[in-house]
Amino acid sequence: MARALLLLRIARYPPLPAPPAPSHPRPLPPLLRRHAPSAIRFAPFSLPASSVSTSTDASSDGGGGRKGGEEEGCGYVDYLGMSDEELMDQCEMGTFKASGPGGQHRNKRESAVRLKHRPTGIIAQAVEDRSQHMNRASALSRLRTLIALKVRRPINLEDYTPPVELLQILPLKSTVRGKDVGPQIGPNNSKFSPGMQALLDLLFAVEGSVSDAAKILGLSTGALSRLILSDDSLRTAANELRASKVSRKICAVNIYSLTGEYHITHSKHYI
Amino acid sequence: MLSLALSSRPLTFLRPSRRKPTLHRLLLPKPLATATASASALTPLTPRFDPNSTSGPDPDPTPLFLRPANHPVPAAALDAFRHRAAALVPPSAPHLHHQLRWLLADAIAAGDPSSSDTALLRAPLDDLEDMWQQHVGCRRPFQYVVGNEHWRDLVVAVRDGVLIPRPETEAVVDMVRKVDGFADGWWADLGTGSGAIAVAVARELGPQGKVFAVDVSEVAVEVTRLNVQRYGVQDKVEIRHGSWFEPLEDVKGKLMGVISNPPYIPTDDLPGLQPEVGWHEPKLALDGGKDGLEHLLHLCEGLSLVLKPGGFFVFETNGNKQSEFLVDLIRTKWSSSFHSVEAVLDFAEIKRFVTGYRR
Ligand SMILES: C[S@@+](CC[C@H](N)C(=O)[O-])C[C@H]1O[C@@H](n2cnc3c(N)ncnc32)[C@H](O)[C@@H]1O
């Protein structure tokens, strides 16, 4: 199956409450605002495993400052645990070519689909499949990946045990991975996303330190690095977390939605 | 070639000469007053294909992706074709580049060309070249060239003479699925064309469920038969050749639902259609007569006779104007027969469908 070509706009975590009334109408924002993924610039992980030892440089001096109550105790919704239909219900679906009368008038295989996930503002889009239906399926699975990559849930490191979704994507040699967890799930499996989300939550909690995360997961730093490198988007997101160590701050972020409204939320945000 | 691909009309000498004469339209008994009226109202579109043309044999009507893979070619030759073909279309036309990929996806049976010296194709390279030329040069719809359209999760076989199912229409199946107890009901897909809707609905049905797929076009009946077979839903789809409700005498009052995407383009609009549509797709599938409403009105009139009480209907329309008109009409003129009549938006937010229930 052709992999969907995607153009994305990204909203930052944490999950937003449902958008308030669009009281600040705005012109449609440009395609990518400044939150474009910035990964490659910082790319220690873009090189083969030999360079990942630099990740120890990023080792954290504790998660201070990031659990300062700014998450406002809102329940963290497990979006990835939802069925496709439930997730779809939270989305607005749009397509691009609304010009012209369509239907029988037209022969255009522009069956692109754009899904906007209302609670998070994340947008996933797929254009390359040959049918509308399949594009929707691609966009939905892409949305799951994006949620995993972009929606961070806080972890309390003091009493942390890795959730089973995370254990499932770990290599078998992990010492915290019980026998009953089953075979390792790889990036091409649809169950990879929830594990990836949990892994990024952990990396976020340890301020991007792969070695710290590796310890918690009962792996060598090298083994965890290899897992991270096995998937491009995971690698990129992990790089962003590491980079954030350099210039993390809490600030107000405008999150523009497609329809032009925006809301302000307190959120962690990397420059 | 570039400008030819984008805007110019096909030159006569490029015109595909192997078209199958669409005799069925002329030979059919004239069924109903409405159908007859619109058939005679058909305006010929340019260019017309000469039904008596004898130059060249009929093309293999088997869709490319279903043909036997017995044409090994050197990977380098395939690659060269890919480049030649890509050079015919400008980078600014991404959909054409997608289509080139799809053409190759349908043609290549085995041998990832990047990793082996030979690729196994379902047609000789010359034929592929010709197919591509027909598409970008003659504006022959890509779907007719390769003989299929991907629609929902189906690969629907199509050929000249049947309408290529549209992405908008995919939503009809979802509406049907939402009807209470749909799975065990009897459904009719009127004007089934390729059979896309009928097959997609049939695949969702339970043991008691059934779809009557009706079309007046013989080509449509043939293509529907192929698609029904390909998806193994012969026991769920009953194909009936004839005009609208005529072949359904025996199931009057028994249908849980009627689905139709009838021809709805106003006759006056036909000459202005996109070449792929106006020059190549059957007028019988497009021409809705004056205001495009002729068949839709006929369908509305017949509905209450075939639907059982509580039965559902969904019609596709030309858009806002027709949908609003029909909703209004049914609500006022036939309010005693129908309820919950409404216009439903398509993905481009156009009021594309009219749905409702029989009382
Ligand atoms: C717009 S096409 C729809 C085809 C298919 N249902 C789809 O959605 O792709 C309309 C179909 O109605 C058929 N048709 C036209 N007049 C008809 C009539 N009087 N009775 C039955 N079918 C008719 C045409 O042959 C054509 O297949």
Side-chain angles (χ1 to χ4, degrees), chain B residues 262-302:
Chain B
Y264 55 59
I265 298 182
T267 306
D268 288 348
D269 293 355
L270 292 178
L273 289 175
Q274 179 192 353
E276 279 82 350
V277 179
W279 296 348
H280 297 276
E281 293 197 82
K283 288 178 276 296
L284 181 68
L286 302 170
D287 188 348
K290 186 168 155 23
D291 299 326
L293 281 165
E294 214 161 301
H295 299 291
L296 280 164
L297 287 174
H298 176 71
L299 290 170
C300 288
E301 276 161 18

Side-chain angles (χ1 to χ4, degrees), chain A residues 104, chain B residues 35 163 165 169 189 191-193 197 215-217 242-244 261-263 284-285:
Chain A
Q104 289 168 16
Chain B
L163 187 98
T169 312
D189 174 20
T192 195
I197 299 174
D215 210 293
V216 77
S217 146
S243 181
W244 304 133
N261 172 19
L284 181 68

Side-chain angles (χ1 to χ4, degrees), chain A residues 95 98 100-107 109-110 128-134 136, chain B residues 98 101-102 106 141 143 148-150 152 166 168 170 261-262 264 274 318 347 352:
Chain A
T95 46
Q104 289 168 16
H105 286 263
R106 193 189 53 169
N107 179 329
R109 309 267 295 226
E110 307 262 13
E128 280 216 339
D129 271 309
R130 289 168 78 166
S131 88
Q132 174 81 21
H133 190 82
M134 299 308 276
R136 189 183 334 168
Chain B
H98 290 164
R101 267 214 310 285
W102 298 336
D106 282 3
Q143 300 89 337
N148 76 64
E149 170 68 315
H150 289 223
R152 291 184 66 87
R166 304 294 199 258
E168 283 87 346
E170 292 184 7
N261 172 19
Y264 55 59
Q274 179 192 353
N318 199 29
F347 52 66
R352 177 68 58 198

